[in-house]
Structures are given as C-alpha cells and as structure tokens.
DNA sequence: CACCACCTGAGACTCAATCTCATCTGGTAT
DNA sequence: ATACCAGATGAGATTGAGTCTCAGGTGGTG
C-alpha cells in the first residue's frame, strides 16, 4: 500500500468514527504518514512547527491516543527515553531487536511468535488488541566493540 | 531459590562488579527483593522513606540502571504510566498480558516464544540480554463490560 | 444558516527523573 | 592502623514530557 492509499484509508477511518475532521487533524495524519520510522510525540510537534502546518502541542498529544485506539498507530517502547510511536502497516507486524549500546533498532517478523501469542490469549480468554516484543542486547558491531573495551580494561 | 539465597547472590554480584558496597545499596537491594510484584522507582523511594532504611531518591534512581545492567532487574512497561521494574527470577521468564481497561497484568510463560527469539537472534547475530513481550487488550471481565457498554450506547 | 457539541491553542501546571555540588566514605595502598 | 581519593551520597534545584484549563473557534447536522 502506498502513502496516498494509506492516507485515504486513514482519513476515511477518521471520518467514519465519531470524530470531526479538522485542518489540524488532517495535518497531523499527513505528517505522521510521511515519517519513515519511529517518532516521539515531540518530534511531531516540532515537525509541524517547522512547516506552515498548524497544530499545537495539546492537539497532537490529544490525537495520538485516538489514533492508537483506531489502530493507526502503535506504541513502541525503547525503554530508555519517552514514548515512541510507529504507523501500523499491515500486513506484517514486526518485532524489535534494540541495541543497548548504539540504540539501533532491527525489525523482524516471526509468524511462530504471532501464533504462540494467539494461543496464549485463547487459553486466558484474553482479547488481543496489540502486542510488542522487544529484545534488548547488543548488535553485531557493538558486541565487537564492547568485547574489545572489556579486554583492554582488564 | 528463596529470598535469602537470592539476596546473597545479588550482593555477591554487586561486590564483584566495580561498585562499592554501601549501606544505601544494601538497603535498596534488600527492599527490592521483598517487593512481590512490579514496582516503580517512586514506590521504592516511598518504601524506604517509611522504614528507617536510608536511601535518597537520587541514590535509588542511580542504582536502578545499574541493577538492570547486572541483570538483576528488568524494565516492565505498562505503557500508561511511568516505568516499572521487576526482579529477574530465573528460571521461567514470563511475558505479560495487560488489560487496557482495568490495568490487570496476567503473567505467562511460553517456551515456544523463547525458542523463536533465540533463533531470530542467531539469524541477526544479535546478543540477547533481555526480552519483554507485552500483549495489550481486554481481560475476560472487561470484554464483558466493554461489550455491554457498547450495546447500551447504540 | 443557526446552533452547539466538539475542537483548538497558549500557557500554566504536574511530577517523574535528572542534575548539582558540597560532603562523606568504602576499600586499597602504605 | 590510617591516610587517601575515586566513587558515593543527599537536599534541593532543575528539566521536560505530558496534561489540564478555559476562553474562543468551527465542523457538520437539522
């Protein structure tokens, strides 16, 4: 799905919810869809400030939970900083490997994990909305660097 | 492993790192090990304040990342509030089902997921330190209540 | 085209988390 | 024992992400 189609779909979703379409909300959605990776709420505020598009911090912060509720955004916790979000682009939910040292985020998909989660939810009669798996550790390069550092220190 | 053994092991870990053993650090570790479930940094500060044990907020906040680094604590994100932590008690790492409505946290273990993660890490030459899987949605009771509400609203 | 429930923005506010810096101390070397 | 100092501490100031307030604005329906 390309950006235009996605934007149309999202706008449609908003229109058919009980929400009003306002220039601010359109601007926020448009901006979100042009951000390639993860972003924080404040990144959004800053990005909107820099262009002529108008949407205040309060409005941005108010819209984010709504977009999560609608399944358009998903919260991604990096664990070190404040909240980050990403656009849900189905199909293919992905999980994250996060390097503790350099902060690199490697995305991967794993059907086996998806299936296992569905089974667990059935066992517990839990209705899954979203899930997020984050594996923290060291990426290939940082393993090398960390090991070198450790050797020279001892 | 009971609490005394765990405490001894943790103290040993601290002693053999480059860290100094201070009364404050001992107090914090002892307190952490007596908390049954998840806790926030501020819960810890409050708990220490209430007893005669002494450790300032700054000291608590300074020690938490160290304990995570040592693998003694793990960060658990509830996503709605500030950071929460839990003691790593091996074997049997568990994942979390989190109810968006009432906040209940259901823990579960799933060897299939653990295995899948190990495989993915091997594929990416990633050295795993920790992982956390959080599934958000509705618990059994809240599904019922949310559905009832939805019906009466329409 | 009038109406009003919903939306917005500026800025005050909250409070978890971090920083500062003067003082203290664990643990090693002497 | 004891002197020494890198590392640790605490009280309080500071930061900053996120929330709240409230007066005024507006989308969209009847």
């Amino acid at each position: 799905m390309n950006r235009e189609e996605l934007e149309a779909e999202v706008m449609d979703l908003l229109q058919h919810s009980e929400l009003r379409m306002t220039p601010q909300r359109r601007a926020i959605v448009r901006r979100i869809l042009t951000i390639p990776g993860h972003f924080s709420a404040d990144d959004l505020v800053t990005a909107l400030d820099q262009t002529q598009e108008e949407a205040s911090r309060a409005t941005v912060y108010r819209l984010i939970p709504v977009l999560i509720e609608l399944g358009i955004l998903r919260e991604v916790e990096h664990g070190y900083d404040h909240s980050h979000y990403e656009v849900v682009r189905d199909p293919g939910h992905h999980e994250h490997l996060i390097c503790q040292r350099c902060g690199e985020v490697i995305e991967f998909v794993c059907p086996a994990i998806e299936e296992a989660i569905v089974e667990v939810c059935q066992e517990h009669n839990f209705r899954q909305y979203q899930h997020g798996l984050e594996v923290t550790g060291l990426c290939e390069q940082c393993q090398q660097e960390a090991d070198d550092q450790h050797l020279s220190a001892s």
Side-chain angles (χ1 to χ4, degrees), chain A residues 30-57:
Chain A
R30 216 176 308 120
R31 174 60 50 169
I32 281 173
L33 296 179
T34 60
I35 295 178
H38 306 141
F39 57 91
S40 67
D42 217 59
D43 290 343
L44 252 187
V45 174
T46 307
L48 289 165
D49 270 354
Q50 286 176 345
T51 63
Q52 302 304 345
E53 297 165 304
E54 299 196 359
S56 69
R57 178 195 326 290

Side-chain angles (χ1 to χ4, degrees), chain A residues 96-138:
Chain A
H96 297 109
L97 300 175
I98 301 170
C99 180
Q100 274 189 356
R101 202 160 174 283
C102 68
E104 190 193 356
V105 178
I106 302 165
E107 299 181 344
F108 68 94
V109 296
C110 183
I113 290 174
E114 309 275 334
E115 285 167 27
I117 292 171
V118 170
E119 276 177 34
V120 169
C121 287
Q122 281 172 350
E123 280 170 30
H124 289 83
N125 285 313
F126 189 87
R127 184 185 299 167
Q128 177 187 183
Y129 283 168
Q130 294 191 359
H131 70 263
L133 171 62
E134 309 210 333
V135 181
T136 55
L138 293 182

Side-chain angles (χ1 to χ4, degrees), chain A residues 53-107:
Chain A
E53 297 165 304
E54 299 196 359
S56 69
R57 178 195 326 290
T59 301
V60 169
Y61 274 96
R62 276 190 286 242
L63 190 57
I64 286 176
V66 172
L67 294 177
I68 290 175
E69 183 82 11
L70 290 174
I72 295 165
L73 288 186
R74 161 193 306 133
E75 196 166 4
V76 182
E77 290 292 342
H78 286 203
Y80 299 109
D81 217 42
H82 41 290
S83 293
H84 281 72
Y85 309 92
E86 66 179 11
V87 177
V88 174
R89 294 170 194 275
D90 288 326
H93 174 72
H94 56 265
E95 321 297 348
H96 297 109
L97 300 175
I98 301 170
C99 180
Q100 274 189 356
R101 202 160 174 283
C102 68
E104 190 193 356
V105 178
I106 302 165
E107 299 181 344

